[in-house]
Amino acid sequence: MKKFLYYIFILLLLISCSSNNKGVDPPNPPDPPVDTTKDLTIFFVNDQHGQLDNFAKIKYIVDEAKESTNVIVACSGDIFSGNPVVDNYPEKGYPMIDIMNRVGFDVSVIGNHEFDYGEAILTDRVNQANFDWVCANVDMTNSTIPQPKPYTTLTVDDVKITFLGLVETNGKDGDIIPSTHPWRVENLTFSRPESVIAQYSNVKEQENSDLLVALTHLGYQSFGGSISDLDISTQFPFFDLILGGHSHEVINTIVNGIPIYQSGSYLNYLGKAFIKIKDRSILTINHTLIDLNSYPSEDEDLKAVIDEYNNQPYLSDIIGNSQRYHNRQQVGCFYTDALRGAMNVDFSIQNSGGLRSDLNEGDITVREIFEISPFNNGTVIYSMTVTEIKNFLRGSGSGFYYSGINIDQVGNTVEIRDLSNNLLSDNTVLTLGTNDYIPAVHDSYFTMAGDIQTLTAAETLIYYLENIESTVNYPSCSRYFRFQ
């Protein structure tokens, strides 16, 4: 009997427990993990040097991307100097600023050629830009130019990216300036890039940014003793990404875990980096180099604006004839012959970096001359002894095209002869015609007063073609000297 009652009790207990659980939901499953990955596309260019035409394609590409992802558009400097449509516009450089504004650029580092027009003009262009200028190694407080930020933090949706700007300072031996005309940066103070970078090692944390990008105009590899993008990746590895310029290269590499990109020059390419960000670092990055010259689509409205800027009939004026294609060295011979002839001097020189284009066979237009000589450098005449000329050629460390004399290195000495190959004595005085950039950079060798001319270097070439010799024909030419 006791055993029977025990079984009845157990049965009732089970029924009671079952009844109490009726209507009770099972426990909820745990919430799925939150995806904290962020997407960002950065479009970037560098060293466009006044080229406008492909910006209509860039705008089309950028606007299309903005429909589906977060987008930032960046420039690594040297937006001016190279296209007379921009360089000779009544407001020098304004077409470039206007077009970059219309494309929707967000940030640009200041390149060395941004200073080519001088302080007053750069002041106006900086004020007209709708994008941020960054440069951590320049002090402009003694000039009229607005002081650029060392860095800027851009927020797109929920993505925060900090860009630190740096410009090269290899413009003059014994000085710290960019590679521009020294007279045009007299009120500015520059620091070596490598001397300031470490100050910003914690800026990513201070800004609470997802990524820190070095937006540089230094070049991929070292030149002239200044730091390069390659150096930054190893010496200052707190950057997540380096977007560079200045060396006109296509760069797509990863060094010390840091991607380094550069998109060539003259707006032939548009760089694109699609980035997945997680926990404030790059999870994945996909680089694409877009060939703008073959890209089929463009923004029609911006194309119309660019076409209007390009409508400069005077640039198509024919002023001479080139009997053949002339490479840069042959152009150097024409250039110095033209300076010597138009300036009526004994000899002339021209720095190789001041020649920016070859010369095609056929009619020579005004546009072509301004593309060869885009920097609006003035011209000047000096009277120098042969000794002074030799000291300059030996000590400058630079190479020059020349006309009117013969120059040879014999051992550790320089010999200068006239065009009849007669050796000139050291006390012989010669008149030198040159652009004013050379004596400004090498001022320790040009302590004497120069006779400043009224024409720029490009205008002097045009005068020569229109009034002295309109035919250019140099089958071979090797008038270039650099002391070794």
Side-chain angles (χ1 to χ4, degrees):
M1 183 66 178
K2 289 181 179 180
K3 190 176 290 188
F4 174 76
L5 292 174
Y6 173 78
Y7 288 133
I8 292 296
F9 174 76
I10 294 299
L11 178 62
L12 291 174
L13 184 62
L14 291 172
I15 292 172
S16 174
C17 290
S18 174
S19 174
N20 288 340
N21 284 334
K22 287 181 180 179
V24 177
D25 294 332
N28 293 327
D31 293 333
V34 177
D35 184 5
T36 59
T37 303
K38 303 177 182 181
D39 292 345
L40 174 69
T41 296
I42 302 178
F43 291 103
F44 54 93
V45 298
N46 58 274
D47 299 280
Q48 58 261 46
H49 286 287
Q51 303 307 308
L52 298 177
D53 291 349
N54 281 336
F55 273 120
K57 297 179 180 181
I58 292 176
K59 180 168 174 56
Y60 181 92
I61 294 167
V62 168
D63 287 351
E64 186 177 53
K66 285 181 176 179
E67 295 177 1
S68 58
T69 188
N70 300 315
V71 170
I72 289 175
V73 188
C75 174
S76 289
D78 272 9
I79 68 176
F80 302 136
S81 294
N83 179 4
V85 169
V86 174
D87 300 330
N88 294 350
Y89 194 74
E91 294 179 83
K92 288 182 183 297
Y94 175 74
M96 177 59 67
I97 299 297
D98 181 35
I99 298 302
M100 290 177 68
N101 285 343
R102 292 172 187 262
V103 169
F105 274 78
D106 298 292
V107 60
S108 179
V109 67
I110 297 180
N112 55 294
H113 286 296
E114 268 65 283
F115 303 102
D116 287 351
Y117 302 151
E119 182 180 318
I121 293 174
L122 182 56
T123 298
D124 292 340
R125 299 298 87 81
V126 168
N127 286 327
Q128 290 164 336
N130 295 337
F131 48 87
D132 290 340
W133 298 90
V134 290
C135 190
N137 61 314
V138 63
D139 182 352
M140 298 185 176
T141 53
N142 290 327
S143 76
T144 60
I145 307 170
Q147 175 66 34
K149 305 173 185 177
Y151 62 86
T152 187
T153 299
L154 303 176
T155 302
V156 186
D157 198 7
D158 61 341
V159 182
K160 290 181 69 175
I161 310 295
T162 297
F163 290 85
L164 176 75
L166 299 164
V167 66
E168 58 86 17
T169 54
N170 299 320
K172 183 180 178 182
D173 287 343
D175 204 348
I176 303 176
I177 63 171
S179 301
T180 188
H181 200 304
W183 298 346
R184 296 169 189 169
V185 291
E186 289 180 324
N187 294 326
L188 310 181
T189 302
F190 296 86
S191 302
R192 294 289 185 196
E194 57 269 28
S195 71
V196 304
I197 299 176
Q199 301 173 26
Y200 303 97
S201 60
N202 295 321
V203 71
K204 181 178 177 180
E205 288 70 28
Q206 294 168 2
E207 293 290 296
N208 193 29
S209 296
D210 291 294
L211 298 178
L212 175 60
V213 179
L215 191 65
T216 76
H217 197 79
L218 304 174
Y220 176 65
Q221 293 183 304
S222 293
F223 174 78
S226 185
I227 198 168
S228 68
D229 293 340
L230 192 59
D231 298 324
I232 288 177
S233 67
T234 57
Q235 298 177 28
F236 303 95
F238 49 81
F239 292 98
D240 297 290
L241 173 65
I242 299 172
L243 299 178
H246 188 55
S247 53
H248 292 212
E249 297 175 271
V250 171
I251 301 294
N252 172 19
T253 189
I254 297 176
V255 180
N256 198 27
I258 302 174
I260 305 175
Y261 300 141
Q262 193 176 149
S263 62
S265 60
Y266 295 100
L267 221 64
N268 289 309
Y269 299 100
L270 172 66
K272 176 184 177 182
F274 178 70
I275 309 170
K276 284 190 174 294
I277 305 167
K278 187 176 179 65
D279 298 329
R280 300 177 64 226
S281 63
I282 293 177
L283 181 63
T284 63
I285 186 166
N286 181 31
H287 172 270
T288 305
L289 190 68
I290 301 171
D291 185 343
L292 294 173
N293 294 323
S294 63
Y295 194 83
S297 303
E298 60 189 358
D299 184 276
E300 294 183 358
D301 291 339
L302 187 56
K303 178 65 164 57
V305 175
I306 293 170
D307 287 345
E308 185 63 28
Y309 279 128
N310 284 333
N311 184 23
Q312 304 292 335
Y314 83 96
L315 293 175
S316 299
D317 289 349
I318 297 172
I319 55 176
N321 184 268
S322 176
Q323 297 290 293
R324 63 186 69 244
Y325 165 78
H326 291 83
N327 62 28
R328 208 64 59 92
Q329 193 168 56
Q330 292 163 313
V331 170
C333 292
F334 154 66
Y335 197 116
T336 50
D337 280 353
L339 289 183
R340 182 167 65 96
M343 299 173 75
N344 193 27
V345 291
D346 295 319
F347 80 108
S348 63
I349 58 173
Q350 169 63 30
N351 55 303
S352 57
L355 302 185
R356 307 298 281 198
S357 180
D358 299 343
L359 181 62
N360 291 322
E361 182 178 359
D363 291 335
I364 301 172
T365 64
V366 170
R367 177 188 293 273
E368 288 178 287
I369 298 302
F370 280 118
E371 288 173 346
I372 289 171
S373 181
F375 298 122
N376 287 292
N377 291 326
T379 52
V380 59
I381 296 174
Y382 288 92
S383 293
M384 302 177 70
T385 66
V386 168
T387 293
E388 290 171 327
I389 297 166
K390 289 179 178 180
N391 290 339
F392 163 64
L393 294 173
R394 276 196 302 262
S396 68
S398 300
F400 303 96
Y401 299 106
Y402 60 90
S403 173
I405 56 176
N406 293 317
I407 308 174
D408 292 297
Q409 181 173 342
V410 180
N412 289 323
T413 65
V414 176
E415 288 187 351
I416 296 179
R417 299 174 182 270
D418 64 21
L419 294 181
S420 298
N421 212 34
N422 298 310
L423 186 66
L424 298 179
S425 64
D426 286 347
N427 60 358
T428 302
V429 176
L430 300 176
T431 53
L432 164 66
T434 185
N435 68 66
D436 61 8
Y437 171 80
I438 292 174
V441 171
H442 303 289
D443 53 357
S444 61
Y445 299 99
F446 291 87
T447 57
M448 69 293 290
D451 182 9
I452 298 173
Q453 305 297 288
T454 59
L455 299 181
T456 67
E459 290 167 344
T460 302
L461 301 185
I462 293 170
Y463 175 87
Y464 175 82
L465 289 169
E466 289 182 328
N467 297 281
I468 298 175
E469 178 55 68
S470 62
T471 300
V472 177
N473 187 20
Y474 292 84
S476 62
C477 186
S478 57
R479 297 199 312 257
Y480 180 81
F481 181 83
R482 182 169 191 161
F483 189 80
Q484 302 298 322

